[in-house]
């Protein structure tokens, strides 16, 4: 028997329920894992609200990331053995698989070997944030020396990952945060520059930093009414990757600024990378090398116990964290 967390209707954190179920044997191409830690993501909050990129099929499980120990493997699974420490990389629909459980079953393509230098808590935090940032900044934009990368919501887990990955590639980062309260933390986390957007003019500050040229890339999980400022802060023919919707309401497109700057606006999500075997392997290799070298480091804001998952979701939605929230099992 295993406790899993499910919800029968969309709503706030209180809709999450602990369900005790018999653990099935893994099917063909599946791996069963005894979970030690679970990474908590904004996507799961959106999923719980039925406000995500695909509709929820109720009753639903949730969760994209976990670290644990292989308990059993199904037919046709190769390269993964019972007793091995592994992680789960987001690469599936939560309508099919989930990680909020004491014992979980996931597809073998979602399983990666546990990085030896990391604890279970650290390993449960790294894959969503680093693969998401890698896909946009390395795989697509190919950022490097001489590039400036604007990172809105920089204190989020993916924001911090973007700072680290851009730095690793040799680019300079411009971290955006609403006030100066997190400036020191962001600089310590590797940001080259920090702009407090409630305190100074964003476009003027970016232009000052970039000698009037603007940034080649912006990596934005926010959208909303400030989006036109990002367009104005770009270099000519720069690129904005939009991968989230933290701001309420519509995201306006500034037509004249678009004509002047001729930017590319690209929607981005992790599936472009994690859903393709070759790209997924390249991402994993890049991230493992970064972790081993120390260039990439997990940033854990706070841990909760499995029993306190509802409180973990409430904390997530307060938007005050610096880094990743992880739940231990």
């Amino acid at each position: 028997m295993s406790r899993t967390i499910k919800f029968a209707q969309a709503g706030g954190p209180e809709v999450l329920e602990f369900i005790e179920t018999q653990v099935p044997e893994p099917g063909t191409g599946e791996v069963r894992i005894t979970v030690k830690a679970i990474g908590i993501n904004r996507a799961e909050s959106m999923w719980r609200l039925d406000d995500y990129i695909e509709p929820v099929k109720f009753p639903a499980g949730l969760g994209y990331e976990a670290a644990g120990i292989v308990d059993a493997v199904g037919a046709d699974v190769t390269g993964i053995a019972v007793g091995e420490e592994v992680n789960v990389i987001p690469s599936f629909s939560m309508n099919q698989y989930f990680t909020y459980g004491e014992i979980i079953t996931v597809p073998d393509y979602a399983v990666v070997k546990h990085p030896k230098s990391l604890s279970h808590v650290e390993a449960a935090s790294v894959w969503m944030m680093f693969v998401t940032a890698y896909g946009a900044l390395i795989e697509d934009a190919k950022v490097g020396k001489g590039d400036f990368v604007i990172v809105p919501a920089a204190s989020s887990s993916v924001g911090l990952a973007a700072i680290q990955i851009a730095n690793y590639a040799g680019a300079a980062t411009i971290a955006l945060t609403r006030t100066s309260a997190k400036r020191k933390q962001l600089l310590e986390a590797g940001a080259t520059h920090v702009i407090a957007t409630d305190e100074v003019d964003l476009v003027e500050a970016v232009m000052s930093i970039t000698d009037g040229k603007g940034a080649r890339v912006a990596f934005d999980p926010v959208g909303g009414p400030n989006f036109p400022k990002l367009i104005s802060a770009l270099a000519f023919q720069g690129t904005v990757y939009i991968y989230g919707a933290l701001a309420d309401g519509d995201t306006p497109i500034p037509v004249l600024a678009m004509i002047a700057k001729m930017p590319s606006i690209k929607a981005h999500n992790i599936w472009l990378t994690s859903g393709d075997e070759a790209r997924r392997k390249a991402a994993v290799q890049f991230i493992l090398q970064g972790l081993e070298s120390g260039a990439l480091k997990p940033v854990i804001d706070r841990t909760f116990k499995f029993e306190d998952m509802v409180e973990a979701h409430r904390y997530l939605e307060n938007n005050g964290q610096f880094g990743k929230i992880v739940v231990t099992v």
Side-chain angles (χ1 to χ4, degrees):
M1 301 296 289
S2 168
R3 286 184 303 162
T4 61
I5 295 175
K6 294 193 173 184
F7 60 109
Q9 62 181 5
E14 65 279 358
V15 302
L16 299 177
E17 298 180 274
F18 289 84
I19 309 294
E20 190 158 325
T21 58
Q22 188 71 37
V23 179
E25 291 297 316
T28 300
E30 292 182 336
V31 179
R32 196 170 70 191
I33 298 169
T34 300
V35 175
K36 299 297 183 183
I38 302 165
I40 308 301
N41 297 290
R42 178 70 57 180
E44 292 136 28
S45 170
M46 297 174 70
W47 180 254
R48 193 200 68 234
L49 291 164
D50 198 7
D51 190 23
Y52 195 48
I53 57 176
E54 62 175 317
V56 177
K57 297 177 183 178
F58 298 104
L62 69 172
Y64 275 136
E65 291 181 286
I69 299 170
V70 176
D71 173 72
V73 298
D76 298 335
V77 174
T78 59
I80 301 169
V82 172
E84 281 190 314
E85 289 187 302
V86 294
N87 304 162
V88 179
I89 183 172
S91 52
F92 47 81
S93 166
M94 287 186 284
N95 278 322
Q96 296 176 296
Y97 297 97
F98 57 86
T99 61
Y100 284 20
E102 294 172 323
I103 301 174
I104 61 173
T105 300
V106 295
D108 58 355
Y109 59 78
V111 178
V112 297
K113 299 295 177 67
H114 181 90
K116 295 179 181 179
S117 62
L118 302 185
S119 67
H120 288 125
V121 167
E122 290 172 326
S125 78
V126 297
W127 296 107
M128 175 67 92
M129 65 183 191
F130 282 128
V131 175
T132 301
Y134 165 92
L137 303 183
I138 304 300
E139 191 175 75
D140 195 76
K142 297 178 174 58
V143 301
K145 189 174 181 181
D147 286 331
F148 285 92
V149 178
I150 301 173
V151 184
S155 57
S156 69
S157 59
V158 180
L160 292 169
I163 290 169
Q164 292 185 26
I165 281 183
N167 289 346
Y168 189 27
T173 50
I174 303 173
L176 306 188
T177 184
R178 285 176 296 177
T179 72
S180 295
K182 295 179 180 178
R183 178 184 297 275
K184 182 179 178 182
Q185 281 180 289
L186 287 167
L187 291 171
E188 290 172 348
T192 317
H193 307 275
V194 177
I195 298 174
T197 57
D198 286 354
E199 299 172 9
V200 299
D201 183 277
L202 167 61
V203 179
E204 288 182 4
V206 170
M207 289 302 167
S208 176
I209 290 166
T210 62
D211 292 328
K213 296 176 181 178
R216 185 167 80 84
V217 174
F219 185 56
D220 182 33
V222 182
N226 287 324
F227 187 74
K229 294 181 181 180
L230 282 184
I231 299 297
S232 296
L234 285 180
F236 182 68
Q237 293 187 323
T239 302
V240 177
Y241 295 89
I242 187 157
Y243 68 97
L246 291 177
D248 294 328
D250 295 332
T251 296
I253 299 296
V255 175
L256 289 178
M258 294 278 291
I259 293 170
K261 291 284 177 128
M262 295 181 64
S264 295
I265 300 176
K266 293 188 175 184
H268 177 68
N269 73 46
I270 192 172
W271 313 126
L272 189 66
T273 304
S274 67
D276 178 272
E277 183 178 4
R279 289 177 172 180
R280 183 171 63 248
K281 288 181 177 179
V284 169
Q285 184 63 29
F286 179 95
I287 292 162
L288 287 175
Q289 288 176 347
L291 291 168
E292 289 169 5
S293 71
L296 305 181
K297 301 176 183 178
V299 180
I300 309 298
D301 176 86
R302 184 174 170 183
T303 61
F304 290 82
K305 294 181 179 179
F306 187 61
E307 293 76 11
D308 298 325
M309 184 64 80
V310 170
E311 187 57 36
H313 267 239
R314 289 196 180 108
Y315 182 74
L316 171 71
E317 293 180 347
N318 285 335
N319 297 322
Q321 68 268 22
F322 189 92
K324 191 84 167 197
I325 301 165
V326 179
V327 167
T328 59
V329 182

